[in-house]
Amino acid sequence: MSPTRPPGSGSGRRRTHSAGTDDPRRRSGWLADGVRGRARKVDGVRPIGVGRGKLGVTTAGRFVRGMRFDRNPLRRATDRAESVVLILLAVLFLVGAPLSALAAGGAMHAVAQRAELAQRASHLPVMATIKTIGAPATGGNLTTEVDAQWTAPTGKLIDTDMAVAIGHTPGDKLKVYTTPDGRLTTPPMAESQVASLTELARVAGVAGLAVVVTLAGVVARWWLNRRRIAAWDADWRSTGPRWTTRA
């Protein structure tokens, strides 16, 4: 007598169910997207809690969590205070950078312009005449010593040696700058130099503000970390004995 099979066992082959109408996920109106790891709409139905307006999945939500302004119960007051300090320092730099550049540039421009006017009054141009030319300078220097003569602004005749570029001949005239008593000096400051100093001061003003803001952020974070660690220690002193098993 052959053994009988249990009712409903069929031919012994395992049945498989397709994700059709018998699939409970299909009946609920959604399927999990196995490729992208997120839920997707099926038959025009969006899963509950996966809407686009949900704060946890939007860019704004990620920003709020990153800035520690969410309702996470693990957030401490020091965490939110640190975020507020960082935001204030960023705003301070963004607002103060143009102002510091204008202030530093304006101050430097005023100083450089006064120096330019003072040099124009004291560094006077005169025409010098080359009398004799000496040997060219050694060491690859493209200058030569000459004996030149000019009349100082006071009317005094000046005769002295000076270095000029190679290529001049006796009798050539050169424009030089002297002090009111006839001594050689440098040309007065040009407008381009004033502009360069002004731009350099603007950059220095912004860089100085950045250093101040960075130092303020470091000090604030150091102080908040001390408060945070002190709060952790206080919490541990209150909860630690309840977790510790004593003999």
Side-chain angles (χ1 to χ4, degrees):
M1 184 175 180
S2 61
T4 61
R5 294 174 180 169
S9 61
S11 60
R13 292 178 296 178
R14 183 177 300 175
R15 292 183 178 181
T16 59
H17 297 277
S18 61
T21 56
D22 293 336
D23 193 337
R25 297 176 299 174
R26 173 69 71 175
R27 290 196 301 270
S28 63
W30 68 278
L31 283 175
D33 190 343
V35 177
R36 297 184 179 180
R38 60 184 181 183
R40 58 183 174 87
K41 291 198 303 184
V42 176
D43 298 335
V45 180
R46 183 183 296 276
I48 299 175
V50 193
R52 295 178 181 176
K54 188 175 178 60
L55 183 62
V57 296
T58 60
T59 303
R62 287 192 292 269
F63 175 77
V64 170
R65 290 198 306 272
M67 296 307 296
R68 306 168 183 173
F69 292 134
D70 56 355
R71 298 181 180 180
N72 190 336
L74 299 179
R75 302 289 190 199
R76 295 181 178 271
T78 51
D79 298 332
R80 296 183 175 89
E82 182 178 354
S83 298
V84 171
V85 169
L86 293 178
I87 292 175
L88 291 178
L89 290 177
V91 172
L92 175 63
F93 178 77
L94 293 177
V95 174
L99 299 178
S100 62
L102 290 175
M108 177 55 71
H109 182 76
V111 172
Q113 200 169 41
R114 286 196 298 268
E116 178 193 6
L117 295 176
Q119 289 184 10
R120 287 186 181 278
S122 60
H123 298 197
L124 305 176
V126 297
M127 297 303 298
T129 302
I130 298 178
K131 296 174 59 179
T132 59
I133 297 178
T138 59
N141 194 353
L142 300 180
T143 60
T144 183
E145 289 288 332
V146 300
D147 181 18
Q149 188 179 70
W150 63 86
T151 302
T154 58
K156 181 181 178 181
L157 186 62
I158 305 296
D159 193 339
T160 186
D161 293 338
M162 59 181 295
V164 298
I166 295 176
H168 289 286
T169 59
D172 288 349
K173 294 185 179 299
L174 298 175
K175 183 179 181 181
V176 296
Y177 290 88
T178 67
T179 59
D181 58 358
R183 293 179 299 165
L184 284 175
T185 186
T186 58
M189 186 181 296
E191 288 290 341
S192 59
Q193 293 175 299
V194 175
S196 298
L197 289 175
T198 302
E199 292 298 326
L200 182 61
R202 289 173 180 170
V203 174
V206 176
L209 178 63
V211 171
V212 171
V213 170
T214 302
L215 290 178
V218 170
V219 172
R221 189 168 188 179
W222 170 79
W223 184 77
L224 289 172
N225 281 337
R226 292 193 61 179
R227 294 289 301 271
R228 188 180 292 115
I229 293 174
W232 287 345
D233 291 340
D235 289 346
W236 176 249
R237 284 193 297 269
S238 62
T239 58
R242 290 181 291 177
W243 292 356
T244 304
T245 303
R246 298 180 179 179

PDB file of all heavy atoms in Angstrom, residues 11 15 24 30 45 57 86 92 112 120 128 133 139 147 149 161 171 205 218 247:
ATOM      1  N   SER A  11       1.942  18.185  -5.956  1.00  0.00           N
ATOM      2  CA  SER A  11       2.964  17.297  -6.490  1.00  0.00           C
ATOM      3  C   SER A  11       4.279  17.429  -5.774  1.00  0.00           C
ATOM      4  O   SER A  11       5.261  16.875  -6.206  1.00  0.00           O
ATOM      5  CB  SER A  11       3.150  17.582  -7.988  1.00  0.00           C
ATOM      6  OG  SER A  11       3.545  18.936  -8.153  1.00  0.00           O
ATOM      7  N   ARG A  15       5.693  26.352  -4.443  1.00  0.00           N
ATOM      8  CA  ARG A  15       4.985  27.399  -5.149  1.00  0.00           C
ATOM      9  C   ARG A  15       5.679  28.732  -4.909  1.00  0.00           C
ATOM     10  O   ARG A  15       6.172  28.985  -3.831  1.00  0.00           O
ATOM     11  CB  ARG A  15       3.526  27.512  -4.677  1.00  0.00           C
ATOM     12  CG  ARG A  15       2.671  26.322  -5.061  1.00  0.00           C
ATOM     13  CD  ARG A  15       1.242  26.544  -4.620  1.00  0.00           C
ATOM     14  NE  ARG A  15       0.404  25.427  -5.019  1.00  0.00           N
ATOM     15  CZ  ARG A  15      -0.911  25.365  -4.775  1.00  0.00           C
ATOM     16  NH1 ARG A  15      -1.502  26.385  -4.142  1.00  0.00           N
ATOM     17  NH2 ARG A  15      -1.598  24.327  -5.167  1.00  0.00           N
ATOM     18  N   PRO A  24       1.360  41.620  -0.661  1.00  0.00           N
ATOM     19  CA  PRO A  24       0.808  42.663   0.233  1.00  0.00           C
ATOM     20  C   PRO A  24       1.402  44.023  -0.031  1.00  0.00           C
ATOM     21  O   PRO A  24       0.765  45.037   0.186  1.00  0.00           O
ATOM     22  CB  PRO A  24       1.175  42.148   1.634  1.00  0.00           C
ATOM     23  CG  PRO A  24       2.309  41.192   1.413  1.00  0.00           C
ATOM     24  CD  PRO A  24       2.054  40.575   0.076  1.00  0.00           C
ATOM     25  N   TRP A  30       2.761  50.254  -2.958  1.00  0.00           N
ATOM     26  CA  TRP A  30       4.152  50.650  -3.162  1.00  0.00           C
ATOM     27  C   TRP A  30       5.047  49.434  -3.161  1.00  0.00           C
ATOM     28  O   TRP A  30       4.691  48.366  -2.694  1.00  0.00           O
ATOM     29  CB  TRP A  30       4.590  51.624  -2.072  1.00  0.00           C
ATOM     30  CG  TRP A  30       4.681  51.025  -0.689  1.00  0.00           C
ATOM     31  CD1 TRP A  30       3.661  50.824   0.185  1.00  0.00           C
ATOM     32  CD2 TRP A  30       5.856  50.514  -0.059  1.00  0.00           C
ATOM     33  NE1 TRP A  30       4.105  50.249   1.330  1.00  0.00           N
ATOM     34  CE2 TRP A  30       5.458  50.047   1.207  1.00  0.00           C
ATOM     35  CE3 TRP A  30       7.187  50.406  -0.452  1.00  0.00           C
ATOM     36  CZ2 TRP A  30       6.350  49.479   2.092  1.00  0.00           C
ATOM     37  CZ3 TRP A  30       8.073  49.856   0.432  1.00  0.00           C
ATOM     38  CH2 TRP A  30       7.662  49.396   1.691  1.00  0.00           C
ATOM     39  N   VAL A  45       0.553  55.742  -6.342  1.00  0.00           N
ATOM     40  CA  VAL A  45       0.435  55.898  -4.890  1.00  0.00           C
ATOM     41  C   VAL A  45       1.821  56.080  -4.311  1.00  0.00           C
ATOM     42  O   VAL A  45       2.739  55.311  -4.620  1.00  0.00           O
ATOM     43  CB  VAL A  45      -0.258  54.674  -4.249  1.00  0.00           C
ATOM     44  CG1 VAL A  45      -0.366  54.863  -2.740  1.00  0.00           C
ATOM     45  CG2 VAL A  45      -1.633  54.478  -4.870  1.00  0.00           C
ATOM     46  N   VAL A  57      14.147  64.475   4.613  1.00  0.00           N
ATOM     47  CA  VAL A  57      14.736  64.039   3.353  1.00  0.00           C
ATOM     48  C   VAL A  57      14.992  65.199   2.415  1.00  0.00           C
ATOM     49  O   VAL A  57      15.364  64.984   1.274  1.00  0.00           O
ATOM     50  CB  VAL A  57      13.814  62.994   2.670  1.00  0.00           C
ATOM     51  CG1 VAL A  57      13.710  61.751   3.499  1.00  0.00           C
ATOM     52  CG2 VAL A  57      12.434  63.597   2.423  1.00  0.00           C
ATOM     53  N   LEU A  86      29.010  80.108  15.296  1.00  0.00           N
ATOM     54  CA  LEU A  86      29.584  79.966  13.963  1.00  0.00           C
ATOM     55  C   LEU A  86      28.817  80.801  12.935  1.00  0.00           C
ATOM     56  O   LEU A  86      29.425  81.426  12.053  1.00  0.00           O
ATOM     57  CB  LEU A  86      29.591  78.491  13.562  1.00  0.00           C
ATOM     58  CG  LEU A  86      30.520  77.575  14.361  1.00  0.00           C
ATOM     59  CD1 LEU A  86      30.381  76.124  13.897  1.00  0.00           C
ATOM     60  CD2 LEU A  86      31.960  78.019  14.246  1.00  0.00           C
ATOM     61  N   LEU A  92      29.488  88.035  10.509  1.00  0.00           N
ATOM     62  CA  LEU A  92      30.416  89.123  10.813  1.00  0.00           C
ATOM     63  C   LEU A  92      31.490  89.257   9.748  1.00  0.00           C
ATOM     64  O   LEU A  92      31.824  90.377   9.323  1.00  0.00           O
ATOM     65  CB  LEU A  92      31.063  88.871  12.182  1.00  0.00           C
ATOM     66  CG  LEU A  92      32.168  89.862  12.599  1.00  0.00           C
ATOM     67  CD1 LEU A  92      31.602  91.266  12.726  1.00  0.00           C
ATOM     68  CD2 LEU A  92      32.811  89.410  13.901  1.00  0.00           C
ATOM     69  N   ALA A 112      49.560 107.289   1.822  1.00  0.00           N
ATOM     70  CA  ALA A 112      50.420 107.248   0.636  1.00  0.00           C
ATOM     71  C   ALA A 112      50.308 108.544  -0.174  1.00  0.00           C
ATOM     72  O   ALA A 112      51.302 109.021  -0.738  1.00  0.00           O
ATOM     73  CB  ALA A 112      50.043 106.047  -0.239  1.00  0.00           C
ATOM     74  N   ARG A 120      57.012 114.959  -3.751  1.00  0.00           N
ATOM     75  CA  ARG A 120      57.019 115.843  -4.914  1.00  0.00           C
ATOM     76  C   ARG A 120      57.545 117.235  -4.552  1.00  0.00           C
ATOM     77  O   ARG A 120      58.120 117.932  -5.389  1.00  0.00           O
ATOM     78  CB  ARG A 120      55.610 115.948  -5.504  1.00  0.00           C
ATOM     79  CG  ARG A 120      55.164 114.700  -6.240  1.00  0.00           C
ATOM     80  CD  ARG A 120      53.828 114.910  -6.928  1.00  0.00           C
ATOM     81  NE  ARG A 120      53.396 113.703  -7.610  1.00  0.00           N
ATOM     82  CZ  ARG A 120      53.808 113.324  -8.814  1.00  0.00           C
ATOM     83  NH1 ARG A 120      54.669 114.088  -9.482  1.00  0.00           N
ATOM     84  NH2 ARG A 120      53.366 112.209  -9.366  1.00  0.00           N
ATOM     85  N   ALA A 128      71.035 116.927 -15.460  1.00  0.00           N
ATOM     86  CA  ALA A 128      72.465 116.750 -15.229  1.00  0.00           C
ATOM     87  C   ALA A 128      73.171 116.525 -16.562  1.00  0.00           C
ATOM     88  O   ALA A 128      72.629 115.859 -17.460  1.00  0.00           O
ATOM     89  CB  ALA A 128      72.704 115.573 -14.290  1.00  0.00           C
ATOM     90  N   ILE A 133      83.167 109.751 -18.686  1.00  0.00           N
ATOM     91  CA  ILE A 133      82.628 108.406 -18.438  1.00  0.00           C
ATOM     92  C   ILE A 133      83.771 107.522 -17.978  1.00  0.00           C
ATOM     93  O   ILE A 133      84.848 107.479 -18.596  1.00  0.00           O
ATOM     94  CB  ILE A 133      81.978 107.833 -19.708  1.00  0.00           C
ATOM     95  CG1 ILE A 133      80.785 108.707 -20.126  1.00  0.00           C
ATOM     96  CG2 ILE A 133      81.502 106.404 -19.471  1.00  0.00           C
ATOM     97  CD1 ILE A 133      80.109 108.252 -21.393  1.00  0.00           C
ATOM     98  N   GLY A 139      81.074  92.447 -12.701  1.00  0.00           N
ATOM     99  CA  GLY A 139      80.085  91.576 -12.061  1.00  0.00           C
ATOM    100  C   GLY A 139      78.759  91.512 -12.784  1.00  0.00           C
ATOM    101  O   GLY A 139      77.745  91.155 -12.182  1.00  0.00           O
ATOM    102  N   ASP A 147      81.049 111.187 -14.410  1.00  0.00           N
ATOM    103  CA  ASP A 147      81.164 112.460 -13.690  1.00  0.00           C
ATOM    104  C   ASP A 147      80.116 113.399 -14.271  1.00  0.00           C
ATOM    105  O   ASP A 147      80.169 113.736 -15.461  1.00  0.00           O
ATOM    106  CB  ASP A 147      82.568 113.042 -13.857  1.00  0.00           C
ATOM    107  CG  ASP A 147      82.726 114.348 -13.116  1.00  0.00           C
ATOM    108  OD1 ASP A 147      81.889 114.620 -12.213  1.00  0.00           O
ATOM    109  OD2 ASP A 147      83.650 115.101 -13.434  1.00  0.00           O
ATOM    110  N   GLN A 149      77.364 116.874 -13.770  1.00  0.00           N
ATOM    111  CA  GLN A 149      77.280 118.210 -13.182  1.00  0.00           C
ATOM    112  C   GLN A 149      75.884 118.766 -13.384  1.00  0.00           C
ATOM    113  O   GLN A 149      75.272 118.582 -14.444  1.00  0.00           O
ATOM    114  CB  GLN A 149      78.319 119.129 -13.849  1.00  0.00           C
ATOM    115  CG  GLN A 149      78.465 120.497 -13.206  1.00  0.00           C
ATOM    116  CD  GLN A 149      79.521 121.330 -13.914  1.00  0.00           C
ATOM    117  OE1 GLN A 149      79.309 121.773 -15.063  1.00  0.00           O
ATOM    118  NE2 GLN A 149      80.674 121.539 -13.270  1.00  0.00           N
ATOM    119  N   ASP A 161      80.140 112.188  -8.890  1.00  0.00           N
ATOM    120  CA  ASP A 161      80.064 110.910  -9.620  1.00  0.00           C
ATOM    121  C   ASP A 161      78.701 110.260  -9.376  1.00  0.00           C
ATOM    122  O   ASP A 161      78.126 110.339  -8.290  1.00  0.00           O
ATOM    123  CB  ASP A 161      81.167 109.970  -9.169  1.00  0.00           C
ATOM    124  CG  ASP A 161      82.554 110.471  -9.553  1.00  0.00           C
ATOM    125  OD1 ASP A 161      82.641 111.278 -10.498  1.00  0.00           O
ATOM    126  OD2 ASP A 161      83.537 110.084  -8.887  1.00  0.00           O
ATOM    127  N   GLY A 171      78.559 114.710 -22.615  1.00  0.00           N
ATOM    128  CA  GLY A 171      77.678 115.741 -23.151  1.00  0.00           C
ATOM    129  C   GLY A 171      76.206 115.389 -23.089  1.00  0.00           C
ATOM    130  O   GLY A 171      75.351 116.267 -23.287  1.00  0.00           O
ATOM    131  N   GLY A 205      43.520  94.213   5.187  1.00  0.00           N
ATOM    132  CA  GLY A 205      42.380  94.418   6.076  1.00  0.00           C
ATOM    133  C   GLY A 205      41.458  93.210   6.121  1.00  0.00           C
ATOM    134  O   GLY A 205      41.026  92.786   7.201  1.00  0.00           O
ATOM    135  N   VAL A 218      37.862  79.806  17.399  1.00  0.00           N
ATOM    136  CA  VAL A 218      38.637  78.796  18.137  1.00  0.00           C
ATOM    137  C   VAL A 218      38.436  78.958  19.635  1.00  0.00           C
ATOM    138  O   VAL A 218      38.223  77.976  20.367  1.00  0.00           O
ATOM    139  CB  VAL A 218      40.130  78.910  17.759  1.00  0.00           C
ATOM    140  CG1 VAL A 218      40.980  78.055  18.693  1.00  0.00           C
ATOM    141  CG2 VAL A 218      40.344  78.489  16.313  1.00  0.00           C
ATOM    142  N   ALA A 247      29.371  44.919  44.356  1.00  0.00           N
ATOM    143  CA  ALA A 247      29.299  43.680  45.091  1.00  0.00           C
ATOM    144  C   ALA A 247      28.786  43.942  46.511  1.00  0.00           C
ATOM    145  O   ALA A 247      29.112  44.970  47.091  1.00  0.00           O
ATOM    146  CB  ALA A 247      30.683  43.034  45.150  1.00  0.00           C
TER     147      ALA A 247
END
